[in-house]
């Protein structure tokens, strides 16, 4: 691969992404940019190209932390730099791998040398390398949450901290943070989204001519990278000079009271949480003015700042897509713009008054009330009227006659014939569900569901290090070394330690799991009211999986077989969309659904052996389509039970007479059976207490 970067100015289209990156280059205080878009849209190419436009930086020679010789970090681990020689170099682009560890990010301390020799040996991490440059996180949504928290904390504070058993190191870490993600692979939780200053949504153009130009340029770059870059060298220099000029102009830009009032009004109108959005919008508007070569923030800067800083802060629940109502934005900006003329209180009262101190105004040569300064009668009436019409649109003046007819004319909805497909029905309102856990203690990715050994959590015991020592258990290490001090000839206050004395912490937290839904979409489930409740229950479980950072998958069975409707993914939003469009009808091949689940779990076990599955079977327990359909489904359930899969059967059987087929299936599966009513966390108090505190118990 060529070392010549693709030129930033050679990228076609994507104006918002280009602007978002350039604003952060002008003012890193904006807080970085999150780039959301489908695969193959040149997200990574543009970020890498940006690094070549940044001005070069002066650094102290030999400093591993890129200290500025004009203002060196007084807490730099490499010591004081007064009078040290300096040199200039290009700003670095540091890329963060998806599977990066915490020690690789913040750096690591050699605890063995610290205890045995009293030496603070520190190996800098990626944050130190990215100082005064660009930190690029591709697929940021696939990183573990505690790693993303660590990165965003460092970006916000401008410093990195390493704390290991009383040994502490800190250093400056100021960088331009850029994250890219494909929403189809999972979302960041709202708390992390809020920490990114700006967000940009991108998609490949659907214009054939523009797509052709993208392909033409890419082929030209691949054929001759150096020659292609030379074609855009002049444009690159011009853009780099504009960034430098905007940086120099930035301290002179004035954020007027009018602009600040508009910023805070917009944030309040869109009901964003906290005040971070206001601060980010203010910094972005100032950067926009500097980029335009102005020293005053205008309304157009505030509007563009809102479009970049607010969409990802507008999510009110996990399944809301980011977005911004442009009409509401324009209306809010207009309402809080500075008035062009002073108010005229006298024009509001059409009745003439005759003060006795020199005669009324109407006694002059002009007719009373028709003067050019008087304004129209009923003054101020034009302003409130545009704001008036939205009120009736809320529907409060309509008595909603539709629901009154439903109790008077109850029409039973029959499920369709076995071979007929019913149109998809909407899901019911989601609710908080009971917590289901996987049996035992795992070692999977950190999450919020089942007990597991993790990097976080609380310390439960000590053990000999398995690999490189990362988290020293100090008291256990001292206890292991103490009995041997005399035999080792200790003559001073310092401990004589051996490699076998060291112990590491074992911490227990919670892991995320693979929640695999197996949903009955056959004709026996097709009654509309019933399917609405079932979909609402599955949607509630999907929301629970989102909050607990699980991966999800979905298998549906109906008609002649089973279908993998959603391969295991971190994108719970996609699962909600697939559920909403799920059709029903046909026979009930329950065995096929369970066997497909067995195959999916087998493949996922090879891909990610540490992620434990939780199987959720949504069915009324019926099985049709073959002479021995029930027996086949029981054999398939026993096959899953033999693999040690923890499961729960969501019993959807309805009616006054219940056959208990779902509970029989649960017994064969070694799972718990839960009805739709029992699924709610606010249901029966005893059931909630029992299941919140204990994992699922398999049936004997």
């Amino acid at each position: 691969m060529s070392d010549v970067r693709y030129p930033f100015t050679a990228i076609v289209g994507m104006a918002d992404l280009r602007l978002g990156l350039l604003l952060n280059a002008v003012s890193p205080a904006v807080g970085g940019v999150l780039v959301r878009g489908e695969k193959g849209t040149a997200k990574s190419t543009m970020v890498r190209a940006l690094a070549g436009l940044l001005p070069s930086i002066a650094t102290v020679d030999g400093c591993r932390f890129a200290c500025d010789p004009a203002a060196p970090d007084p807490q730099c681990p490499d010591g004081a730099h007064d009078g040290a020689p300096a040199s200039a170099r290009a700003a670095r682009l540091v890329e963060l791998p998806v599977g990066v560890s915490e020690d690789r990010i913040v750096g690591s301390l050699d605890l063995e040398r610290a205890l045995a020799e009293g030496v603070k040996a520190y190996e800098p991490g990626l944050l130190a390398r990215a100082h005064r440059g660009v930190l690029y996180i591709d697929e940021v949504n696939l990183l573990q949450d505690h790693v993303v928290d660590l990165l965003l904390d460092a970006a916000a504070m401008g410093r990195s901290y390493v704390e290991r058993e009383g040994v502490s190191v800190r250093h400056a870490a100021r960088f331009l943070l850029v994250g890219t993600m494909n929403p189809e692979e999972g979302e960041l939780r709202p708390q992390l989204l809020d920490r990114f200053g700006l967000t940009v949504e991108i998609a490949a153009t659907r214009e054939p001519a523009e797509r052709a130009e993208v392909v033409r340029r890419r082929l030209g770059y691949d054929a001759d990278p150096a020659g292609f870059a030379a074609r855009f060298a002049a444009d690159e220099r011009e853009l780099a000079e504009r960034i430098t000029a905007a940086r120099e102009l930035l301290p002179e830009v004035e954020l007027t009271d009018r602009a600040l009032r508009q910023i805070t009004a917009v944030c309040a109108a869109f009901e964003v949480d906290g005040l971070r959005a206001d601060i980010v919008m203010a910094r972005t508007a100032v950067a926009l003015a500097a980029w335009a070569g102005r020293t005053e923030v205008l309304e157009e800067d505030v509007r563009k700042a809102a479009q970049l800083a607010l969409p990802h802060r507008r999510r009110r629940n996990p399944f809301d897509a980011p977005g911004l109502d442009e009409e509401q934005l324009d209306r809010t900006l207009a309402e809080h713009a500075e008035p062009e003329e002073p108010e005229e209180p006298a024009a509001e009262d059409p009745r003439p008054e005759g003060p006795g101190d020199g005669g009324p105004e109407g006694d002059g040569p002009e007719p009373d009330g028709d003067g050019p300064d008087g304004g129209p009668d009923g003054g101020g009436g034009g302003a409130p009227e545009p704001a008036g019409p939205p009120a009736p649109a809320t529907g409060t003046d309509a008595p909603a006659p539709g629901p009154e007819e439903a109790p008077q004319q109850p029409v039973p909805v029959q499920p369709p014939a076995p071979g007929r497909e019913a149109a998809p029905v909407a899901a019911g309102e989601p609710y908080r569900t009971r917590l289901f856990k996987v049996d035992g203690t795992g070692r999977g990715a950190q999450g919020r569901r089942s007990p597991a050994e993790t990097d976080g959590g609380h310390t439960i015991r000590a053990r000999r290090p398995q690999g490189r020592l990362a988290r020293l258990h100090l008291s256990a290490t001292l206890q292991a070394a103490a009995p041997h001090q005399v035999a080792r000839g200790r003559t001073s206050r310092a401990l004589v330690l051996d490699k076998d004395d060291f112990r590491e912490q074992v911490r227990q937290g919670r892991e995320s799991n693979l929640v695999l839904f197996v949903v009955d979409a056959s004709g026996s489930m097709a009654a509309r009211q019933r399917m609405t409740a079932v979909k609402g229950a599955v949607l509630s479980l999907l929301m629970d999986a989102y909050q607990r950072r699980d991966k999800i998958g979905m298998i549906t069975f109906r008609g002649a077989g089973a279908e993998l409707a959603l391969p295991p993914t971190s994108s719970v939003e996609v699962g909600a969309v697939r559920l909403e469009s799920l059709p029903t009808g046909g026979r009930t091949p329950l065995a096929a659904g369970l066997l497909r689940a067995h195959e999916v779990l087998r493949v996922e076990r090879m891909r990610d052996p540490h992620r434990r599955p939780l199987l959720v079977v949504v069915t009324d327990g019926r099985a049709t389509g073959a002479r021995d359909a029930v027996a086949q489904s029981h054999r398939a359930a026993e096959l899953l039970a033999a693999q040690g899969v923890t499961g729960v059967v969501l019993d959807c059987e309805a009616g006054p007479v219940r056959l208990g087929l779902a509970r029989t299936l649960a017994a064969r599966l070694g799972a718990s059976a839960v009805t739709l009513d029992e699924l709610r966390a606010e249901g029966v108090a005893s059931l909630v207490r029992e299941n919140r505190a204990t994992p699922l118990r398999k049936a004997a």
Side-chain angles (χ1 to χ4, degrees):
M1 182 178 292
S2 172
D3 292 334
V4 180
R5 288 194 180 106
Y6 194 92
F8 189 88
T9 53
I11 296 174
V12 179
M14 295 189 289
D16 282 348
L17 175 55
R18 186 190 305 268
L19 180 61
L21 292 173
L22 290 173
L23 291 178
N24 275 274
V26 171
S27 176
V30 166
V33 58
L34 175 64
V35 187
R36 298 164 46 91
E38 57 194 22
K39 53 186 177 293
T41 49
K43 300 187 296 292
S44 302
T45 300
M46 184 172 280
V47 174
R48 295 186 180 105
L50 176 69
L53 298 175
L54 299 180
S56 60
I57 60 174
T59 61
V60 175
D61 290 347
C63 178
R64 298 174 296 169
F65 303 88
C67 276
D68 186 351
D73 181 10
Q75 296 180 325
C76 179
D78 281 352
H81 299 306
D82 296 338
S87 58
R89 65 165 174 81
R92 287 179 180 147
L93 170 69
V94 177
E95 300 190 36
L96 203 71
V98 171
V100 68
S101 65
E102 182 177 333
D103 284 346
R104 183 73 182 96
I105 294 172
V106 299
S108 58
L109 291 168
D110 192 335
L111 296 177
E112 297 181 28
R113 291 187 62 191
L115 286 175
E117 304 174 26
V119 176
K120 186 185 292 186
Y122 174 65
E123 183 65 28
L126 294 176
L127 293 181
R129 183 172 175 79
H131 179 45
R132 303 174 68 196
V134 180
L135 181 63
Y136 172 45
I137 314 171
D138 194 15
E139 306 294 353
V140 62
N141 52 324
L142 301 184
L143 289 177
Q144 296 185 23
D145 284 348
H146 76 282
V147 172
V148 180
D149 278 327
L150 190 69
L151 292 168
L152 296 177
D153 283 342
M157 295 185 296
R159 302 198 70 81
S160 176
Y161 297 85
V162 185
E163 303 282 349
R164 294 289 187 273
E165 299 295 342
V167 181
S168 175
V169 173
R170 60 189 63 191
H171 63 81
R174 292 183 296 275
F175 45 81
L176 193 165
L177 178 65
V178 183
T180 60
M181 60 175 283
N182 182 353
E184 293 182 356
E185 297 172 346
E187 279 283 3
L188 284 172
R189 69 178 193 259
Q191 295 91 332
L192 298 181
L193 280 173
D194 183 57
R195 300 295 291 276
F196 280 94
L198 310 180
T199 186
V200 177
E201 296 276 345
I202 61 172
T205 177
R206 299 298 184 257
E207 177 61 41
E210 194 169 345
R211 294 172 75 97
E213 182 62 21
V214 172
V215 175
R216 188 179 297 113
R217 293 190 180 188
R218 184 68 207 191
L219 293 178
Y221 170 78
D222 292 341
D224 182 11
F228 183 84
R231 288 170 47 195
F232 293 89
D235 294 336
E236 294 284 289
R237 283 194 300 272
E238 182 180 348
L239 191 57
E241 290 171 359
R242 186 177 175 186
I243 291 174
T244 302
R247 282 188 172 187
E248 294 173 353
L249 184 62
L250 190 68
E252 302 177 20
V253 177
E254 178 188 4
L255 181 65
T256 62
D257 290 341
R258 174 179 182 270
L260 183 57
R261 183 172 60 252
Q262 288 182 314
I263 288 171
T264 55
V266 167
C267 292
F270 283 98
E271 299 180 352
V272 295
D273 296 331
L275 294 173
R276 183 176 285 116
D278 306 62
I279 297 171
V280 170
M281 269 192 66
R283 290 171 174 168
T284 305
V286 170
L288 280 162
W291 180 247
R294 289 184 268 101
T295 57
E296 180 180 345
V297 174
L298 304 180
E299 181 175 312
E300 61 192 72
D301 301 322
V302 176
R303 189 179 195 282
K304 193 62 184 180
Q307 293 173 337
L308 294 172
L310 295 187
H312 59 302
R313 296 181 168 93
R314 284 280 297 146
R315 291 165 59 96
R316 308 315 299 173
N317 68 61
F319 302 134
D320 282 346
L324 203 64
D325 186 337
E326 297 286 344
E327 293 183 2
Q328 182 183 0
L329 174 60
D330 291 337
R331 186 166 58 250
T332 305
L333 290 174
E335 289 175 355
H336 292 83
E338 194 153 8
E340 297 180 359
E341 298 180 0
E343 295 181 359
E344 300 283 351
E348 296 179 2
D349 191 350
R351 295 176 299 173
E353 294 186 6
D357 58 354
E361 292 184 14
D363 292 342
E366 296 193 16
D368 190 19
D370 293 333
D373 298 331
D377 285 344
E385 282 189 352
T394 59
T396 56
D397 57 342
E404 295 178 359
E405 299 176 1
Q408 298 173 2
Q409 300 177 0
V411 180
V413 180
Q414 299 295 333
R420 189 176 303 167
E421 180 177 303
V425 298
E429 286 296 322
Y431 47 83
R432 189 167 63 90
T433 67
R434 291 164 52 185
L435 170 60
F436 301 107
K437 303 177 183 178
V438 178
D439 296 333
T441 302
R443 296 174 56 193
Q446 191 165 356
R448 300 180 61 190
R449 183 173 295 278
S450 304
E453 291 183 10
T454 61
D455 292 335
H458 58 280
T459 302
I460 57 173
R461 59 187 176 89
R463 68 183 177 195
R464 282 190 166 85
Q466 298 181 352
R468 183 176 180 180
L469 177 63
R471 298 188 180 278
L472 178 73
H473 197 297
L474 183 59
S475 60
T477 299
L478 297 178
Q479 289 175 8
H484 308 288
Q485 296 305 297
V486 175
R488 293 172 183 172
R490 174 182 171 185
T491 58
S492 66
R493 298 180 61 184
L495 283 174
V496 181
L497 297 175
D498 188 79
K499 186 176 182 180
D500 290 337
D501 296 332
F502 289 98
R503 300 291 185 271
E504 68 178 4
Q505 300 174 8
V506 178
R507 295 187 176 185
Q508 186 176 79
R510 287 186 288 176
E511 66 177 359
S512 63
N513 299 108
L514 167 61
V515 182
L516 182 62
F517 294 89
V518 181
V519 182
D520 184 351
S522 65
S524 65
M525 302 281 287
R528 284 187 170 269
Q529 292 181 354
R530 183 180 178 189
M531 199 61 192
T532 295
V534 170
K535 283 190 175 183
V538 177
L539 185 64
S540 302
L541 290 168
L542 283 171
M543 185 176 292
D544 181 69
Y546 169 86
Q547 294 169 343
R548 302 190 188 283
R549 316 309 297 160
D550 294 319
K551 289 182 68 175
I552 65 158
M554 186 180 298
I555 294 170
T556 62
F557 58 93
R558 54 185 288 270
E563 175 189 2
L564 181 59
L566 180 66
T569 176
S570 297
S571 181
V572 179
E573 291 81 358
V574 176
V577 172
R578 300 287 171 84
L579 176 69
E580 195 71 23
S581 60
L582 177 66
T584 57
R587 299 186 183 275
T588 313
L590 177 56
L594 296 177
L595 290 174
R596 189 63 184 273
H598 180 270
E599 177 62 18
V600 170
L601 293 179
R602 183 187 67 83
V603 173
E604 287 301 309
R605 194 177 296 114
M606 291 188 294
R607 290 178 178 173
D608 189 355
H610 294 304
R611 189 181 292 272
R612 299 186 296 160
L614 174 63
L615 182 68
V616 180
V617 183
V618 184
T619 181
D620 58 5
R622 297 177 185 272
T624 60
R627 180 174 301 176
D628 58 344
V630 174
Q632 288 181 13
S633 64
H634 288 175
R635 287 195 293 270
E638 290 168 355
L639 181 63
L640 284 164
Q643 298 297 319
V645 178
T646 301
V648 57
V649 175
L650 186 57
D651 184 359
C652 302
E653 191 175 16
V657 179
R658 303 195 179 191
L659 303 178
L661 299 177
R663 294 190 176 274
T664 301
L665 176 67
R668 297 279 185 169
L669 191 60
S672 294
V674 180
T675 66
L676 292 176
D677 292 336
E678 293 171 344
L679 182 64
R680 294 178 180 268
E682 63 270 19
V684 182
S686 60
L687 290 174
V688 173
R689 286 195 296 269
E690 177 184 355
N691 286 277
R692 282 174 65 89
T694 60
L696 294 173
R697 294 189 296 273
K698 295 186 177 180

